Amino acid sequence: MPTSENFDQLLKQFGSASFSAEPDSWNTNTDAQNPSDANDTYRYEYGVPIQTVDAFLRLPSPVVSSWCSDANPAGFLVNQATKCIRSVSVEKCGNTEEVSMLFYISSSILAVPRSSQMVNITVRSIVVQSLNGMRTLLNGSDVLRLPMILDELCVNIVLGNTNKYSQLTILQSTSNQDCLAAQGARTPILFGYNMISGCKLRITAAMKCQPLTQTLLDLLKGQSFPEYVASFGNSQAHDVLDWVPITHVHPSKQSSCQIPVSLEIEVKWTKYGSLVNPQARIVNITATVTTTTLKQLPSGRERTIPITSSVVFTDVSSPAEPGYKAWPTINAKLPFDFFFPFV
């Protein structure tokens, strides 16, 4: 655990291209790592693992292969989108905690590192998927569905955990401009900053339309594209009216192969509140996907097309009307005994 006292020593020991990972080579100065009499205020910083009562908030992720590992801590302010494979036997369905809802919601998060203040994990919505792939949103989010064997099937196993209030991001440009190599590289959208990024996609004759279309959609939107954005900078998750749904605009389907080549996000906002100190408020957000026709290439031929992603902020505040008076003038006299019986 780096601190201001041991940072230089840790940098000298672990800052080179290679270092020893033997336990006896680590700094075991507990006074420097865990100062008991220090007046430091513990706080979360970018990338620091989010602490829980028993350990860290962990998310399933692939390690060496595509198989799931549950030792992946969630970093503070770090967006993650992972996909991995689990092996579940029907006989051990109810005893495999990694596929149970309780495994992800039973613990509590520490509001501040090394503190006693805790924040419970709440479930806002539950979606169940049938054997044919159809998904249904349950009416209540307080329904606890535990894995169990039903008709020789293992039901109620967790397929994903998703936070619909995640941060809005766009494609991040890379130095080599290769779209397929840039998968997963995202940059957060900052309020008021117009941004544009892109990459180049090399298309060969062996590429099929449908898989390529899905790959490009995942590239442009990312795997955790949110459904809502906060209308104010301090909107709370439980205030439903403070969240604006994202409107998706897709081109009409055609018989030929249409692949997405751009994602344009327009954020409309207005000045809200006092004219002296107005607050920015998002009133509408639109995500528009533009496509192009992909023609079949001859064998051995290839083609390079640009893929772009952009975001623009538009101020839609209504200007003040000329000659408008904030308060009307009233010509009236109060009765002589208006303040009676006060002097």
Side-chain angles (χ1 to χ4, degrees), residues 129-274:
Q129 178 173 308
S130 61
L131 292 177
N132 59 5
M134 180 178 295
R135 297 189 176 186
T136 306
L137 179 65
L138 298 184
N139 293 328
S141 60
D142 57 346
V143 180
L144 183 61
R145 296 208 167 195
L146 299 178
M148 58 181 296
I149 300 177
L150 181 64
D151 297 333
E152 299 183 354
L153 294 175
C154 185
V155 298
N156 296 335
I157 63 173
V158 174
L159 292 181
N161 300 80
T162 303
N163 178 16
K164 70 176 181 179
Y165 298 104
S166 59
Q167 190 174 15
L168 189 61
T169 61
I170 64 171
L171 172 67
Q172 178 179 338
S173 298
T174 58
S175 57
N176 56 11
Q177 292 294 303
D178 185 359
C179 286
L180 298 182
Q183 283 184 313
R186 313 287 298 177
T187 184
I189 294 177
L190 305 179
F191 181 82
Y193 287 84
N194 297 336
M195 305 171 65
I196 185 171
S197 61
C199 58
K200 294 181 179 180
L201 177 66
R202 185 174 61 90
I203 300 177
T204 62
M207 291 184 175
K208 304 298 181 181
C209 179
Q210 185 60 34
L212 181 59
T213 299
Q214 188 60 47
T215 299
L216 290 177
L217 281 178
D218 294 339
L219 178 69
L220 290 171
K221 291 186 175 182
Q223 294 184 352
S224 58
F225 196 83
E227 301 174 16
Y228 299 84
V229 294
S231 57
F232 295 101
N234 58 352
S235 295
Q236 300 298 317
H238 56 80
D239 293 332
V240 180
L241 297 180
D242 267 5
W243 293 84
V244 180
I246 298 178
T247 302
H248 297 270
V249 179
H250 297 280
S252 58
K253 295 183 179 180
Q254 302 180 11
S255 57
S256 58
C257 178
Q258 298 284 321
I259 60 173
V261 292
S262 72
L263 172 64
E264 301 172 2
I265 301 176
E266 183 183 17
V267 181
K268 294 182 180 180
W269 65 282
T270 182
K271 298 181 180 69
Y272 181 85
S274 171

Side-chain angles (χ1 to χ4, degrees), residues 119-134:
V119 179
N120 293 329
I121 301 177
T122 58
V123 179
R124 299 204 172 276
S125 63
I126 300 176
V127 178
V128 293
Q129 178 173 308
S130 61
L131 292 177
N132 59 5
M134 180 178 295

Side-chain angles (χ1 to χ4, degrees), residues 89-101:
S89 61
V90 178
E91 294 79 10
K92 299 181 180 179
C93 173
N95 299 326
T96 307
E97 61 177 5
E98 292 82 6
V99 297
S100 173
M101 284 181 58

